[in-house]
Each structure stands twice: as C-alpha cells, then as structure tokens.
Amino acid sequence: MKFGILTAAALTLLVLACNKDKFTTVPQVNLKSITPSTVFNGDVIDLKGTFTDDEGDLDSVLVVYKWYNGTTAVRNDTFRYKLGDLNIPEKTRQGDITVSFEYNTTNNPDLVTLPGVSIRDTTATFGLILKDRDKNRSDYKESDPIRLKKP
C-alpha cells in the first residue's frame, strides 16, 4: 500500500516538474544564437531565439543593445518592435523569433540600422525582453558578445 502511494506521489511530482516553466502567464524567452560573430560595415546581424506565453497575448519585443569599451558599456539603447514587425502572428503561444539589424548602412529599409559607434573595433551584446498586453515582462536574456569592426 505504501509503495503505491509513494509511486503515485513520485509520478505526480515528475509530471509537474516536466511541465514547469513551459507555458506561464509571464512570457519566457531564450536566445539560441547571434550571427555573425564578427561584423563589418553593411553586415546583417541576426539574433535568434524561442519564446512561450500561456495566454498568447504578446504585445511587443524590446531589443537592448550595448556597445562596450573593454568591460564598460559606452552606449546602451533599446528598440521596440510590435509582433507584426517580426512576422509573429497574434495569439501565438510559442515559436521562434528572429530580429535582424544592419550595421552602419541603410541598404535595406526594412531593417533597423545600427550606427558605427567608434573609430576602433569594439564588442556588443544584444538582449531581448518580451512584453504582453497585461504589462508582464519576460526575464532579460542577453546574447554572447560579438565583435564590431570599425566603420
């Protein structure tokens, strides 16, 4: 009898643990990659990740970029995108997300242009925050650093 109760309890905990954080009211985001790792004038930078949101009520994506001089951030800015701008249909509960930027040129009017930031090479990171209609925000997730070559 005790063995049956313990087995049932263990199975219940296992099921709950497996479902933990898959879908929550607060949006969840994970970054998969940022490419290329070294960026030259005119290159397109792709930041890729995945997301989940239990209600499917995502409203916007905040993209934070930071330029560094050594370990000190010398420039920090945020862009806001609507889901439609990123080709994510409304009421999507989970999916992939790709945000693309163009470095220091305006060749593609559909992409945000990131200006050259210094007269020498530097590093940068990009981060994502998802926001839903009820003002819930995901945790901030930041990319690995990439190298920006001087313009």
Side-chain angles (χ1 to χ4, degrees):
M1 181 80 168
K2 284 184 180 181
F3 180 73
I5 293 171
L6 289 176
T7 302
L11 285 174
T12 301
L13 287 174
L14 181 62
V15 168
L16 291 174
C18 289
N19 289 328
K20 184 180 177 190
D21 291 333
K22 180 159 175 122
F23 290 97
T24 62
T25 296
V26 175
Q28 305 291 311
V29 64
N30 288 301
L31 294 182
K32 295 192 305 189
S33 66
I34 186 165
T35 55
S37 58
T38 301
V39 180
F40 295 91
N41 196 46
D43 283 352
V44 173
I45 302 165
D46 288 320
L47 180 62
K48 296 182 179 187
T50 60
F51 69 90
T52 61
D53 181 52
D54 191 37
E55 289 83 15
D57 65 343
L58 289 178
D59 177 63
S60 55
V61 177
L62 303 174
V63 180
V64 178
Y65 74 87
K66 300 176 187 175
W67 287 183
Y68 291 90
N69 181 5
T71 58
T72 304
V74 293
R75 183 171 182 175
N76 186 348
D77 206 349
T78 304
F79 296 106
R80 182 175 180 260
Y81 290 94
K82 290 290 204 178
L83 288 187
D85 297 337
L86 299 173
N87 297 318
I88 299 172
E90 286 193 37
K91 301 185 189 235
T92 302
R93 293 182 65 217
Q94 72 178 23
D96 294 325
I97 186 169
T98 300
V99 182
S100 298
F101 310 94
E102 189 173 36
Y103 182 57
N104 202 40
T105 61
T106 55
N107 294 330
N108 187 337
D110 295 329
L111 298 179
V112 169
T113 298
L114 297 176
V117 294
S118 70
I119 58 172
R120 61 188 175 94
D121 296 351
T122 190
T123 56
T125 58
F126 295 81
L128 293 180
I129 301 170
L130 303 182
K131 187 174 148 187
D132 69 16
R133 287 187 194 98
D134 290 332
K135 308 292 186 229
N136 294 309
R137 289 178 173 232
S138 70
D139 289 340
Y140 173 72
K141 301 293 179 159
E142 189 170 87
S143 73
D144 291 331
I146 60 172
R147 193 80 178 143
L148 300 176
K149 297 305 234 174
K150 68 180 175 182

